[in-house]
Tab-separated table of all heavy atoms in Angstrom:
chain	number	residue	atom	x	y	z
N	11	PRO	N	-112.270	-119.942	94.856
N	11	PRO	CA	-112.876	-120.651	93.728
N	11	PRO	C	-112.342	-120.185	92.369
N	11	PRO	O	-112.743	-120.722	91.346
N	11	PRO	CB	-114.361	-120.310	93.873
N	11	PRO	CG	-114.342	-118.930	94.478
N	11	PRO	CD	-113.144	-118.885	95.388
N	12	PHE	N	-111.466	-119.193	92.368
N	12	PHE	CA	-110.802	-118.627	91.199
N	12	PHE	C	-111.744	-117.883	90.249
N	12	PHE	O	-112.672	-118.445	89.689
N	12	PHE	CB	-109.999	-119.690	90.429
N	12	PHE	CG	-108.850	-120.226	91.219
N	12	PHE	CD1	-108.833	-121.555	91.627
N	12	PHE	CD2	-107.803	-119.401	91.582
N	12	PHE	CE1	-107.780	-122.052	92.381
N	12	PHE	CE2	-106.739	-119.890	92.338
N	12	PHE	CZ	-106.735	-121.211	92.742
N	13	THR	N	-111.448	-116.608	90.145
N	13	THR	CA	-112.107	-115.724	89.192
N	13	THR	C	-111.030	-115.169	88.264
N	13	THR	O	-109.886	-115.631	88.281
N	13	THR	CB	-112.845	-114.594	89.923
N	13	THR	OG1	-111.924	-113.932	90.806
N	13	THR	CG2	-114.006	-115.149	90.748
N	14	ALA	N	-111.387	-114.174	87.463
N	14	ALA	CA	-110.498	-113.716	86.389
N	14	ALA	C	-109.124	-113.277	86.884
N	14	ALA	O	-108.126	-113.439	86.181
N	14	ALA	CB	-111.170	-112.586	85.615
N	15	ASP	N	-109.036	-112.743	88.108
N	15	ASP	CA	-107.728	-112.294	88.609
N	15	ASP	C	-106.989	-113.397	89.364
N	15	ASP	O	-105.912	-113.159	89.913
N	15	ASP	CB	-107.881	-111.068	89.501
N	15	ASP	CG	-108.666	-111.360	90.785
N	15	ASP	OD1	-109.170	-112.493	90.934
N	15	ASP	OD2	-108.763	-110.442	91.616
N	16	LEU	N	-107.565	-114.613	89.379
N	16	LEU	CA	-106.988	-115.776	90.051
N	16	LEU	C	-106.750	-115.556	91.539
N	16	LEU	O	-105.925	-116.234	92.154
N	16	LEU	CB	-105.676	-116.209	89.379
N	16	LEU	CG	-105.815	-116.825	87.977
N	16	LEU	CD1	-104.450	-117.208	87.413
N	16	LEU	CD2	-106.732	-118.043	88.002
N	17	GLY	N	-107.449	-114.583	92.122
N	17	GLY	CA	-107.336	-114.357	93.551
N	17	GLY	C	-105.954	-113.934	93.996
N	17	GLY	O	-105.588	-114.112	95.156
N	18	GLY	N	-105.173	-113.363	93.077
N	18	GLY	CA	-103.823	-112.929	93.421
N	18	GLY	C	-102.784	-114.028	93.387
N	18	GLY	O	-101.630	-113.810	93.767
N	19	TRP	N	-103.151	-115.230	92.932
N	19	TRP	CA	-102.188	-116.322	92.846
N	19	TRP	C	-101.179	-116.055	91.724
N	19	TRP	O	-101.546	-115.736	90.603
N	19	TRP	CB	-102.900	-117.637	92.574
N	19	TRP	CG	-103.560	-118.231	93.777
N	19	TRP	CD1	-104.602	-117.696	94.494
N	19	TRP	CD2	-103.231	-119.472	94.392
N	19	TRP	NE1	-104.943	-118.542	95.522
N	19	TRP	CE2	-104.130	-119.641	95.490
N	19	TRP	CE3	-102.287	-120.456	94.123
N	19	TRP	CZ2	-104.082	-120.757	96.307
N	19	TRP	CZ3	-102.248	-121.576	94.939
N	19	TRP	CH2	-103.134	-121.721	96.018
N	20	GLY	N	-99.908	-116.198	92.047
N	20	GLY	CA	-98.861	-116.176	91.028
N	20	GLY	C	-98.124	-114.875	90.880
N	20	GLY	O	-96.916	-114.815	90.991
N	21	ASN	N	-98.846	-113.832	90.589
N	21	ASN	CA	-98.301	-112.475	90.400
N	21	ASN	C	-97.046	-112.385	89.528
N	21	ASN	O	-96.059	-111.785	89.930
N	21	ASN	CB	-98.034	-111.833	91.775
N	21	ASN	CG	-99.325	-111.559	92.508
N	21	ASN	OD1	-100.337	-111.201	91.915
N	21	ASN	ND2	-99.304	-111.745	93.821
N	22	PRO	N	-96.996	-112.843	88.291
N	22	PRO	CA	-98.035	-113.656	87.641
N	22	PRO	C	-97.726	-115.140	87.820
N	22	PRO	O	-96.598	-115.500	88.124
N	22	PRO	CB	-97.895	-113.247	86.174
N	22	PRO	CG	-96.430	-113.009	86.009
N	22	PRO	CD	-95.942	-112.437	87.328
N	23	PRO	N	-98.723	-116.009	87.600
N	23	PRO	CA	-98.440	-117.446	87.651
N	23	PRO	C	-97.586	-117.863	86.460
N	23	PRO	O	-97.628	-117.229	85.398
N	23	PRO	CB	-99.836	-118.075	87.581
N	23	PRO	CG	-100.693	-117.043	86.908
N	23	PRO	CD	-100.134	-115.724	87.315
N	24	LEU	N	-96.815	-118.916	86.634
N	24	LEU	CA	-95.940	-119.411	85.576
N	24	LEU	C	-96.606	-120.610	84.906
N	24	LEU	O	-96.661	-121.698	85.470
N	24	LEU	CB	-94.588	-119.817	86.164
N	24	LEU	CG	-93.492	-120.261	85.194
N	24	LEU	CD1	-93.160	-119.140	84.223
N	24	LEU	CD2	-92.254	-120.692	85.956
N	25	GLY	N	-97.158	-120.398	83.728
N	25	GLY	CA	-97.814	-121.470	82.985
N	25	GLY	C	-99.297	-121.601	83.246
N	25	GLY	O	-100.012	-122.238	82.470
N	26	PHE	N	-99.789	-121.023	84.341
N	26	PHE	CA	-101.208	-121.095	84.667
N	26	PHE	C	-101.940	-119.844	84.188
N	26	PHE	O	-101.369	-118.755	84.134
N	26	PHE	CB	-101.415	-121.237	86.179
N	26	PHE	CG	-101.156	-122.611	86.713
N	26	PHE	CD1	-99.908	-122.929	87.229
N	26	PHE	CD2	-102.146	-123.586	86.698
N	26	PHE	CE1	-99.656	-124.195	87.744
N	26	PHE	CE2	-101.903	-124.853	87.209
N	26	PHE	CZ	-100.646	-125.163	87.733
N	27	GLU	N	-103.221	-120.008	83.880
N	27	GLU	CA	-104.081	-118.887	83.518
N	27	GLU	C	-105.501	-119.200	83.942
N	27	GLU	O	-105.823	-120.327	84.328
N	27	GLU	CB	-104.020	-118.627	82.009
N	27	GLU	CG	-104.484	-119.802	81.169
N	27	GLU	CD	-104.306	-119.551	79.677
N	27	GLU	OE1	-103.810	-118.466	79.327
N	27	GLU	OE2	-104.663	-120.434	78.884
N	28	PHE	N	-106.357	-118.194	83.880
N	28	PHE	CA	-107.762	-118.380	84.237
N	28	PHE	C	-108.535	-118.921	83.046
N	28	PHE	O	-108.349	-118.485	81.910
N	28	PHE	CB	-108.371	-117.052	84.677
N	28	PHE	CG	-109.851	-117.129	84.960
N	28	PHE	CD1	-110.329	-117.806	86.067
N	28	PHE	CD2	-110.761	-116.535	84.101
N	28	PHE	CE1	-111.688	-117.883	86.338
N	28	PHE	CE2	-112.127	-116.597	84.360
N	28	PHE	CZ	-112.591	-117.281	85.476
N	29	ALA	N	-109.421	-119.898	83.310
N	29	ALA	CA	-110.322	-120.421	82.290
N	29	ALA	C	-111.742	-120.359	82.838
N	29	ALA	O	-112.069	-121.054	83.802
N	29	ALA	CB	-109.964	-121.853	81.918
N	30	ALA	N	-112.560	-119.506	82.251
N	30	ALA	CA	-113.921	-119.311	82.749
N	30	ALA	C	-114.763	-120.574	82.640
N	30	ALA	O	-115.684	-120.788	83.434
N	30	ALA	CB	-114.590	-118.170	81.990
N	31	ASN	N	-114.451	-121.442	81.669
N	31	ASN	CA	-115.237	-122.664	81.481
N	31	ASN	C	-114.686	-123.850	82.263
N	31	ASN	O	-115.234	-124.957	82.185
N	31	ASN	CB	-115.343	-123.018	80.001
N	31	ASN	CG	-113.984	-123.278	79.343
N	31	ASN	OD1	-112.949	-123.275	80.025
N	31	ASN	ND2	-113.978	-123.485	78.040
N	32	GLY	N	-113.586	-123.654	83.013
N	32	GLY	CA	-113.031	-124.744	83.805
N	32	GLY	C	-112.419	-125.851	82.976
N	32	GLY	O	-112.248	-126.970	83.464
N	33	GLU	N	-112.041	-125.549	81.730
N	33	GLU	CA	-111.473	-126.553	80.835
N	33	GLU	C	-110.059	-126.163	80.402
N	33	GLU	O	-109.726	-124.981	80.366
N	33	GLU	CB	-112.342	-126.710	79.578
N	33	GLU	CG	-113.760	-127.163	79.853
N	33	GLU	CD	-114.580	-127.299	78.579
N	33	GLU	OE1	-114.036	-127.018	77.480
N	33	GLU	OE2	-115.755	-127.677	78.669
N	34	ALA	N	-109.273	-127.178	80.043
N	34	ALA	CA	-107.959	-126.938	79.435
N	34	ALA	C	-108.087	-127.184	77.938
N	34	ALA	O	-107.327	-127.941	77.333
N	34	ALA	CB	-106.906	-127.852	80.048
N	35	ASP	N	-109.087	-126.532	77.324
N	35	ASP	CA	-109.415	-126.835	75.935
N	35	ASP	C	-108.403	-126.296	74.935
N	35	ASP	O	-108.518	-126.552	73.732
N	35	ASP	CB	-110.822	-126.360	75.579
N	35	ASP	CG	-111.078	-124.916	75.965
N	35	ASP	OD1	-110.132	-124.240	76.404
N	35	ASP	OD2	-112.231	-124.463	75.839
N	36	ALA	N	-107.375	-125.558	75.404
N	36	ALA	CA	-106.286	-125.172	74.506
N	36	ALA	C	-105.330	-126.343	74.272
N	36	ALA	O	-104.498	-126.294	73.362
N	36	ALA	CB	-105.518	-123.982	75.078
N	37	PHE	N	-105.436	-127.398	75.100
N	37	PHE	CA	-104.645	-128.612	74.881
N	37	PHE	C	-105.124	-129.264	73.596
N	37	PHE	O	-106.318	-129.471	73.383
N	37	PHE	CB	-104.816	-129.551	76.076
N	37	PHE	CG	-104.158	-130.887	75.915
N	37	PHE	CD1	-102.800	-130.980	75.683
N	37	PHE	CD2	-104.895	-132.058	76.009
N	37	PHE	CE1	-102.182	-132.218	75.534
N	37	PHE	CE2	-104.304	-133.292	75.877
N	37	PHE	CZ	-102.936	-133.373	75.634
N	38	ALA	N	-104.186	-129.601	72.710
N	38	ALA	CA	-104.534	-130.038	71.353
N	38	ALA	C	-105.434	-131.268	71.341
N	38	ALA	O	-106.272	-131.424	70.442
N	38	ALA	CB	-103.250	-130.314	70.560
């Protein structure tokens, strides 16, 4: 369900990050 460490996905992921609110609100 994805938490702050993204469950080990990516190590690190390229372009992806964790969002606690489930939003892409950094998109303009």
